[in-house]
Amino acid sequence: MECTLGQIVAQKKMTRALLLKFGRHAGKSTITVIAEDISRNNGYVELSFRARKLDDKDLFSKSDPFLELYRINDDQSEQLVYRTEVVKNNLSPVWEPFKVSLSSLCSCEEARTLKCLVWDYDSRGKHDFIGEFSTTFEEMQKAFREDQAQWDCVNAKYKQKKRNYKNSGVVILADLKFHRVYSFLDYIMGGCQIHFTVAIDFTASNGDPRNSRSLHYINPFQPNEYLQALVAVGEICQDYDSDKRFSALGFGARIPPKYEVSHNFAINFDPEDDECEGIQGVVEAYQNCLPRVQLYGPTNVAPVISKVACMAAAEEHTGEASQYYILLILTDGVVTDMADTREAIVRASHLPMSIIIVGVGNADFTDMHVLDGDDGVLRSPRGEPALRDIVQFVPFRELKNASPAALAKCVLAEVPKQVVEFYSHKELPPRGLGTHARAAGPGSAP
C-alpha cells in the first residue's frame, strides 16, 4: 500500500488493496487506515475484568475464555481496542489488568458505545463464541462507583432458541482507574501564572563595556550581544507572563554604594521591588545599571538560582497549580561555582521552576551542556539525581539570525513538558478542576 499522510488525513478513511512484491494483489485482501484527531487525548484507563459461570464449550474440559473489547466508530464499524490473554480451563476467569488510552478506548467520547465479546479459545483459530454485551465508558465509571459493574454475557442465538435463557455467564469489571493527563495549555487556561526572572552576567570576562569587543559594549548605534539576546529571547518569554513584569537580577559585579561584589542584585537597585515593566523595562534597567557597576567576578550562578527557588518553594506550599517560575540566565560561558550550581539545580528540580540558560558570545559552553542534562541525569556533588530535567541551554550565536518562530521553538522547547511533569508528579490538576476531576471511581488515580 502506497499513500501519503496528507492523503489519509484528507480522506479520513482510506481502503486499499494489499499488494505483494512486484505489485501483485494479495488475493482479495485489503487494508483500511482511519485518520483520527487525538489532540484531545487527555488520559489513559486501567481496566481489569473477570467473569463468572461462563458457558462450557469444551467436551472433555472447561472453556478457555478470552475477552475482546471493541469501540464502535461513527460509521458503525468495530475497532478492536484490546484482547486479553487466554485463561485455560476456567469458567470463572480473572484476566490480567491492562492499560489503554482514552482516545483508543472511546475517541475521548465517554458516551461512545463499546462492545465486549467473550470467546472460548481454539488453537486452530475457530474460536467458539460465548457471549457479548455493550456499554459505554461513562456507564462503566458510574457502575463501578456504585459497585454494580457487571453485565450479562449474552449469546443472541441461545436467547432466541431457549425460552428460559438468561445469560451465558456474567462479566464483572473488577477494577477501573482513570489516569487524567493534562496538557500545558490545560494548566495555563486553568489560571497557572508563569513568572519570569532575568539574571544577567556582569563578570569581567565579558570585557570592558568601553571596548567595542566587549559583549557589554555601550554602543549608541546598535544593541550589544546581551541586549540582542535579552530582547530576542525575552519577547518570546513575556508572551507567557500574564502581568508582563520581570524580576531582573545581575551577578558578578561590584555594585554601589560600597562596590562590594554581589552575585544576586536587582539591576534597578531596588531590593524591595526588583520587577520591571516588560522586556523594555528590563532593557532600560540594564542600560542604566551598566555604567554604575564594575564588572568583576567570579561567575557564580547558584545564588540567583537559589533566590528564585525560594520563591518557588513558597508557592509550592499553596498546594495548587497557580504559579510556575522560569529563570532566564544570560551568561558568557564558564561557571565558577559549578558544584554549588549543580546542587542548586537538583534542589530546584523538586520545585515549580525551570531554568533557561542563554549563552552569549563565542566562549566554551561545555559546562552549560552538562547542566542541561540532555546527555544524562544531572547529579549534585553528593550524587543525588535531579528529579526532573529543568535546564534548557540555548547558544545564542547559533540562533542570532533565526526567525522568531525558530528561536521560540528552541528557547521554549522543553518548558511546557517541564511544567506538566512537575504538576503531574505532585498530582495537581489545573486550577478550577479540583480533586473531582481525578476520580473515576474507587481506587482511581490522577
Side-chain angles (χ1 to χ4, degrees):
M1 174 181 174
E2 289 187 4
C3 61
T4 66
L5 179 60
Q7 289 173 328
I8 296 172
V9 172
Q11 296 184 32
K12 304 297 183 187
K13 181 178 180 180
M14 177 179 288
T15 301
R16 293 285 179 86
L18 282 179
L19 303 177
L20 300 172
K21 287 184 178 180
F22 310 115
R24 292 186 293 114
H25 282 266
K28 296 182 180 180
S29 299
T30 62
I31 184 170
T32 300
V33 181
I34 299 173
E36 180 178 310
D37 177 14
I38 62 170
S39 60
R40 296 166 296 156
N41 179 12
N42 63 343
Y44 66 94
V45 183
E46 281 189 79
L47 298 171
S48 176
F49 288 97
R50 61 186 178 89
R52 185 174 64 238
K53 295 182 180 179
L54 295 175
D55 284 354
D56 192 353
K57 295 289 185 177
D58 294 342
L59 187 60
F60 299 109
S61 63
K62 296 177 182 178
S63 294
D64 306 320
F66 67 93
L67 179 145
E68 290 181 330
L69 178 60
Y70 286 86
R71 176 186 81 208
I72 307 301
N73 295 320
D74 292 337
D75 61 0
Q76 299 307 304
S77 62
E78 298 179 359
Q79 176 69 48
L80 179 64
V81 174
Y82 189 80
R83 180 182 291 119
T84 70
E85 77 285 3
V86 175
V87 177
K88 291 284 189 178
N89 198 33
N90 196 328
L91 300 182
S92 296
V94 177
W95 291 291
E96 290 291 327
F98 61 92
K99 296 179 183 179
V100 60
S101 70
L102 195 61
S103 62
S104 295
L105 178 66
C106 59
S107 302
C108 296
E109 297 171 9
E110 298 185 17
R112 182 178 290 274
T113 302
L114 305 175
K115 183 185 286 188
C116 286
L117 287 77
V118 180
W119 302 84
D120 173 29
Y121 175 77
D122 185 281
S123 59
R124 295 168 297 177
K126 295 183 178 180
H127 311 306
D128 293 318
F129 179 64
I130 295 178
E132 66 179 83
F133 66 91
S134 294
T135 184
T136 66
F137 182 53
E138 186 176 57
E139 181 185 295
M140 290 166 74
Q141 294 178 89
K142 183 176 184 294
F144 187 71
R145 283 195 296 266
E146 297 173 355
D147 200 25
Q148 297 177 353
Q150 63 179 46
W151 295 265
D152 287 337
C153 190
V154 176
N155 187 318
K157 288 184 179 180
Y158 289 178
K159 187 175 183 179
Q160 188 175 11
K161 292 179 180 179
K162 298 180 180 181
R163 179 178 297 177
N164 296 322
Y165 175 80
K166 183 179 180 182
N167 59 45
S168 294
V170 175
V171 175
I172 301 159
L173 179 59
D175 197 13
L176 184 154
K177 294 178 182 176
F178 185 10
H179 300 257
R180 181 77 70 176
V181 178
Y182 299 105
S183 68
F184 175 63
L185 187 59
D186 288 331
Y187 284 103
I188 297 301
M189 296 296 286
C192 182
Q193 306 293 313
I194 305 295
H195 181 81
F196 276 91
T197 298
V198 179
I200 301 173
D201 181 347
F202 285 95
T203 57
S205 58
N206 288 284
D208 187 336
R210 294 168 295 184
N211 188 316
S212 62
R213 299 180 66 181
S214 169
L215 297 173
H216 280 301
Y217 178 50
I218 304 172
N219 187 335
F221 303 107
Q222 66 180 33
N224 61 34
E225 290 267 347
Y226 273 90
L227 279 176
Q228 290 177 43
L230 175 61
V231 172
V233 177
E235 286 185 345
I236 293 165
C237 294
Q238 76 176 358
D239 289 338
Y240 287 88
D241 194 316
S242 58
D243 66 2
K244 309 297 188 233
R245 290 178 61 83
F246 285 67
S247 291
L249 308 175
F251 60 93
R254 285 175 164 172
I255 63 173
K258 297 182 179 180
Y259 285 92
E260 296 173 339
V261 177
S262 174
H263 299 292
N264 172 18
F265 64 92
I267 65 172
N268 64 0
F269 298 108
D270 183 353
E272 301 300 320
D273 183 9
D274 58 19
E275 290 191 331
C276 302
E277 291 289 343
I279 285 301
Q280 189 54 42
V282 179
V283 168
E284 291 171 3
Y286 166 79
Q287 290 173 327
N288 292 330
C289 168
L290 195 56
R292 299 175 61 187
V293 300
Q294 293 177 2
L295 274 58
Y296 205 69
T299 309
N300 293 350
V301 299
V304 291
I305 294 174
S306 297
K307 176 169 184 173
V308 176
C310 283
M311 294 188 290
E315 178 62 30
E316 186 190 14
H317 293 312
T318 64
E320 285 190 322
S322 55
Q323 189 122 322
Y324 193 91
Y325 291 81
I326 296 179
L327 172 60
L328 177 63
I329 300 175
L330 305 178
T331 182
D332 74 331
V334 180
V335 174
T336 309
D337 63 340
M338 191 63 174
D340 289 343
T341 297
R342 284 163 50 204
E343 182 73 36
I345 291 173
V346 169
R347 288 200 305 269
S349 71
H350 294 263
L351 301 171
M353 176 176 171
S354 292
I355 302 169
I356 300 171
I357 302 176
V358 178
V360 181
N362 299 309
D364 179 8
F365 291 117
T366 302
D367 284 352
M368 302 308 169
H369 288 291
V370 172
L371 298 177
D372 195 315
D374 285 348
D375 296 328
V377 178
L378 179 71
R379 293 181 179 273
S380 71
R382 297 177 289 107
E384 180 187 354
L387 178 66
R388 304 176 293 129
D389 175 14
I390 64 168
V391 178
Q392 167 79 354
F393 172 66
V394 180
F396 186 66
R397 64 189 175 209
E398 296 176 13
L399 295 163
K400 194 182 300 186
N401 299 316
S403 67
L407 184 60
K409 183 177 180 180
C410 184
V411 170
L412 297 174
E414 297 182 15
V415 168
K417 176 173 69 99
Q418 291 167 355
V419 171
V420 171
E421 280 181 350
F422 174 77
Y423 290 123
S424 295
H425 177 75
K426 294 294 182 179
E427 301 184 355
L428 293 175
R431 294 172 72 192
L433 294 182
T435 54
H436 71 274
R438 307 181 202 175
S444 62

